[in-house]
Amino acid sequence: MCGIVGYTGFQDAYDIVINGLRRLEYRGYDSAGIVLEDGNNKLEVEKTKGKVEDLVNISSQLKGKAKIGMGHTRWATHGVPSDRNSHPHLSNNGKLAIIHNGIIENYDTIKTMLTEKGFTFKSETDTEVLVNLIQYFMDLNTETDFPTAVRYALNEVYGAYAITVMHEDYPGVLVVGRLGSPLAIGIGDKEYFIASDASPFVEFTKEAIYLEEGHMATISLENGVDIRTITENSKIVPEIQKLKLSLEQIEKSGYEHFMLKEIFEQPKSVHDTMRGRLLVEEGVIKMAGIWDHIEKFKNANRIIIIACGTSWHAGLIGEYLIEEYARIPVEVEYASEFRYRNPIITDKDVVIAISQSGETADTMAALKLAKERGAFIYGICNVVDSSIARITDAGSYTHAGPEIGVASTKAFTAQLTILSLIALKLGKHNGNLGNADFMSLIAELDAIPKKIEDVLSSTHELVQDIAKDFINATNFLYLGRGYNYPAALEGALKLKEISYIHAEGYPAAEMKHGPIALIDENMPIVIIAPKKGHYDKIVSNVQEIKARKGKVIAVVNSGDTQVSQMSDYVIEIPETSECFSPIVASVPLQLLAYYIAVYRGANVDQPRNLAKSVTVE
Ligand code: F6R
């Protein structure tokens, strides 16, 4: 969602802000803007609906003019995407500028109050209300300085925010605050960077402070970084972190899109997820997060998995894995439903939150609720030190590396890998999984990166050819059974989100209860049919589809004959245990979605209306 970049130092602020915004494009946005302090204590703003390159087209006159500035990519919440609603927003007196990620829920009440005091508004945004509230506090008492006024204003609002504010009478100073949306402060030598994540400043510094919930900071070249709590104004000693992120990780490295790069990174990312955890020769799975709390898992009445989107699909596969091997009851919940439905949660429940970004607002809120009610919270996140990672009691990072393409690919297979490790570890520990089965399963899991590598090389060209035949399709069905039912849901989600072709995933047997009515010669049906896992039943499903002339694209094991003979297109993947087959089967489905979208001319890395990190509900 919205991206924030700020800079104060000795370099050209325009270049740093614009390049920083380019790095944050992956978050998803519909407009962009910049404000600089031009050296004569005057704020200069340019903003536009559209992309960062559209902003560059109207703002290049600002280049070289300032050493302090900030920029924003906006994902519309209050008010349509338009030049007017784009950030930065200025206060009525033109002295303050703000950029904001999040939602101010009580903006309407504050707007009414400010309107009564004579303030006027140019946009429909909640953000413009906040900047005027800051001006209001400065006007009310001329002794109130800029940071204090920001603090007063933040104490009046509720909702979620990460903000950065500049004041033209405070040269070189940026004031930032955070509640619910992430914000990082990069510490350079006589320069400071602000950003929604560290990617905009990674080539300038490896030291950063991740602002905590409910904290604000005043950043100036003279006094450095002064962090306070928003409510009490208590001084906080910051924890400076060493960044592990490298420039290479956030560049395309010769691939046309981040999504393709990330699909091809999966042999490595799945391997990285297992590294140091899966020790096949010793016959053990080492996971400190699980081991340190093994009694919690052992005595759990049930495990509740909470997630959204692709992570929710991973959660469904986690349910199959944990119930099969550890025999602990599992429920999988959409975070957005869980948080509002007054669920029964006890201190005997273990909640596992799955989130690539670690910032998803619904998942975060659901976790807070579960925590309040006494559940033990375990996190599976990709982004280190993300908000969700911080509020959990324990957890495992997926270590898939930064995922920049909006459509999740390598993060999903990494989540499946972690869930496999957890299920096998718990099953082995509680005695539901015998040693021989455990040993053979961990050996199979260890072989998955190589199998992904084989799938990538053997199917890449074939999938491109198949994709060409479906660029004009308007609907797709994805079917699978058992472990591959969630894989079918995920395949359908990948296609719809990046190609804008309507696609539905179903358990194959559910076809008869409705979707079969849709099948005719124009309906492409992707069916996941590995040998292990209800193969005979799938054969019958394919027969039923062919009897209605549906076009079958089958994902089968190498050497398959029965399903292959009936199918119009066949994608072969290596055989593996049913429980790991979604990791391998997902790879050609990601490629299929990717190439169909590319051939349709879609912007695969930044699909319309979508955001990488959904920080508002
Ligand atoms: C789809 C996708 C989304 C996310 C969802 C949850 O490709 O990426 O469906 O999975 O928004 O995000 P995280 O995992 O960051 O909580």
Side-chain angles (χ1 to χ4, degrees), residues 308-311 355-357 360 406-408 493-494 497 614:
C308 302
T310 289
S311 299
S355 176
Q356 184 284 129
S357 63
T360 303
V406 163
S408 190
L493 178 63
K494 282 295 83 87
E497 67 183 337
V614 185

Side-chain angles (χ1 to χ4, degrees), residues 428 433-442:
K428 174 84 192 310
L433 180 59
N435 197 49
D437 287 342
F438 176 80
M439 293 303 284
S440 108
L441 282 163
I442 61 171

Side-chain angles (χ1 to χ4, degrees), residues 334-499:
Y334 281 119
S336 53
E337 288 298 314
F338 183 83
R339 64 181 287 195
Y340 287 120
R341 71 170 182 79
N342 196 12
I344 298 169
I345 310 162
T346 72
D347 59 4
K348 286 279 205 177
D349 291 324
V350 168
V351 167
I352 299 183
I354 308 178
S355 176
Q356 184 284 129
S357 63
E359 301 295 344
T360 303
D362 280 322
T363 309
M364 186 79 178
L367 286 191
K368 284 182 179 160
L369 174 74
K371 206 170 182 166
E372 271 162 31
R373 298 194 182 178
F376 174 76
I377 315 284
Y378 198 85
I380 297 179
C381 294
N382 194 40
V383 177
V384 175
D385 268 327
S386 53
S387 304
I388 291 173
R390 282 156 183 241
I391 71 152
T392 50
D393 296 308
S396 303
Y397 285 118
T398 42
H399 297 310
E403 190 178 67
I404 312 280
V406 163
S408 190
T409 52
K410 64 173 181 172
F412 174 66
T413 48
Q415 289 165 348
L416 298 186
T417 307
I418 281 284
L419 288 161
S420 304
L421 291 169
I422 291 176
L424 300 184
K425 175 143 194 87
L426 292 178
K428 174 84 192 310
H429 181 75
N430 68 16
N432 282 300
L433 180 59
N435 197 49
D437 287 342
F438 176 80
M439 293 303 284
S440 108
L441 282 163
I442 61 171
E444 281 213 43
L445 187 55
D446 193 48
I448 293 291
K450 174 75 177 78
K451 289 186 180 174
I452 298 176
E453 204 175 298
D454 293 346
V455 169
L456 284 166
S457 59
S458 66
T459 67
H460 188 200
E461 275 183 26
L462 168 73
V463 171
Q464 292 177 57
D465 288 341
I466 299 175
K468 284 183 190 136
D469 288 353
F470 292 100
I471 49 178
N472 294 319
T474 48
N475 290 292
F476 257 84
L477 277 179
Y478 282 71
L479 304 177
R481 299 184 82 119
Y483 283 92
N484 283 302
Y485 148 54
L489 295 180
E490 174 58 11
L493 178 63
K494 282 295 83 87
L495 183 70
K496 79 180 109 178
E497 67 183 337
I498 58 170
S499 73

Side-chain angles (χ1 to χ4, degrees), residues 8-20:
T8 180
F10 56 87
Q11 303 190 58
D12 179 21
Y14 180 82
D15 279 349
I16 290 189
V17 170
I18 293 290
N19 289 333

